[in-house]
Amino acid sequence: MELPVAVQQALGETAAGVSLRDAGQASRTELLRMVLLNDEQGNLQVICRRDDLIDLEQLNKQLGRDLRLMKRREQLRVRERAGLKALPALPSLTGWPTVVDERVDELPSVALELGEQNLAMVMPAEDFRALTANADRRSLAVAPESIKVNLDDHGKDREQFHSAIKKFTSLRIQQRLEDTLELPPLPETAQRIIHLRVNPNAVMGDLVDIVESDPSLAAQVVSWASSSFYAAAGQVKSVHDAVSRVLGFDLVMNLAMGLSLGRALKQPQDHPDGYVDYWQQAIWQAQSAGILASMMPRGERPVFGLAYLGGLLHNFGHLVLAQVFPPHFKLVCRSLEVNPDIDSSVTEHYFLGITREQIAAQLMENWGMPDEVTLAIRYQKNPSYDGSHSVYARLLWLGRQLLTARGVALGAGEDVSQAFYDELGLNREQVEEQFDELVNSKDSVMAMAGMMSQ
C-alpha cells in the first residue's frame, strides 16, 4: 500500500526508513497515539505510548493552562483537511505546538497507526526524534500497570474509601469533613421495596400500592409499559395494568428500585464527552443483563430481576463520585475523554484512590441492598471473579463488552474468550445475534432512558 500524500509529506526524508505492517502485529509497547487538545489559548497535541494514561491535570499545571479534549466535530475537520480517517502521531500534520511524553524517547523504535486498512508505520526511534525535534518533552503520562486497582478484595474497600476521603478532604481546606460525607439515606420507596422483596407473602397489590404512593414513579412505570419496546396490546391505563399485563411483578419491583435510587442523587451537570449519559447506560446494561440471564441453561440461571437490577444500578457510583468528590469528578471526566481506551477504574484510582464500583458497593451494603446486586456492582470490572454470586458480576462484564463492541459508548472494552462463554453455558453465536437485535432497537432504548430521566 502507498502512504497517503499527507503522511508522505509529514514524513519527508524519514519515509525511506518506514516499514508497514498490520497494526495488530505491531508491539503494543511501540505503538503511539496523538491526542488533540485545546483551550482559550489555542490548540496543542500530545504524543505518548498508546496504552499510557495521560495525566491531564499534571500537564495543565505544568503549562498553566486549562486544556481538554478537542470537540469531536473539530477533530473531524482536522482529519478531513489532512484527507485521513485517523491522525498518526506526526506533529507536522497540523503544525500545532506539540508535547511528547519522555517515555517515548526511551523506545528503540516506534509504531504509528494509520487508520488506513488497519496498518501501522514502524520506524527507528532516532527518525521519530528527528520528526519531533521541535516538540516539548515532558513527563505527562503514567503506565496503567503502575496503578494498582483493587479488583479482588471487597474487604479492603472501606479502608480505601476512608483513605480516599482523607486524601480528598486535605485538599478542601475550607470545608468540613462532614460536608464531604453528606450522602442521602436510602429513599423511602426503595426501603419499602426491599421489605417487600424479603416478604414471602407479598402480592402484586402490595407493589402497586408502593408505586402508586409516588405519583412521579407511577407515571414512569405506566409510560414504560406503554413504550414501543414492549408493544403491549391495547392501552396501559394504570400501574396495576402495567404490572399484571405487561411488565410483571419482578421487573416493576426492580425498575421502581432503580428509579428511586437514581433520583436520590442529583444528575451531575458534567460528564465525559462522547459517552452515553447515566440513564442510557443504565438501560443498556439492564437489558443486556436480562438477556444474558435468560439465555443461561436452566438450573444455572441467576434470578432475572436481580440481574436486571444489577445492570440498572451498575453505574450508580458515577452519581456518588459526582456528589462525594465534586472538584475531582471534573478531573476524572476530562481524563476519561483523553484516555478513552483505559478503563475508568484505572483513571479513578489514579486520581482518587478509589473507584466508582468500590464506593457504590459500599453504599449499597450500607443500605442493605441484596448481596447479588452489591457484589455485581463491585466486581463488574473483574471477569475472573469467582466469589459469592459471581455470575451476576460476570454477566455485567460480558454485557459491557458486547455493547461496547457494537458502538455503545460505555468506555474501554476488552475481547471476550470462547472459554468465558463456555463457563456461563452460553452459545456465543446466539448471544451475538441477540445483542445485534438489542442494538438495532436503539431508538426504543433511548426512549426508555428518556422516561427514566424525566
Side-chain angles (χ1 to χ4, degrees), residues 8-28:
Q8 291 185 39
Q9 293 174 343
L11 288 170
E13 296 180 357
T14 62
V18 169
S19 62
L20 286 175
R21 68 177 65 163
D22 187 282
Q25 297 176 342
S27 169
R28 291 187 68 89

Side-chain angles (χ1 to χ4, degrees), residues 6-7 9-11 14 32-36 43-48 78 82 84 87-101 104 110 112 121 123 127-137:
V7 173
Q9 293 174 343
L11 288 170
T14 62
L32 305 183
R33 63 185 175 116
M34 184 164 73
V35 180
L36 307 184
N43 301 322
L44 180 80
Q45 51 201 6
V46 168
I47 296 174
C48 67
V78 174
L84 298 170
L87 289 183
L90 293 170
S92 60
L93 286 171
T94 65
W96 298 341
T98 306
V99 179
V100 176
D101 182 54
V104 172
V110 299
L112 314 182
M121 301 180 294
M123 69 178 72
D127 286 358
F128 186 73
R129 283 193 287 271
L131 288 171
T132 57
N134 295 327
D136 188 5
R137 258 66 181 181

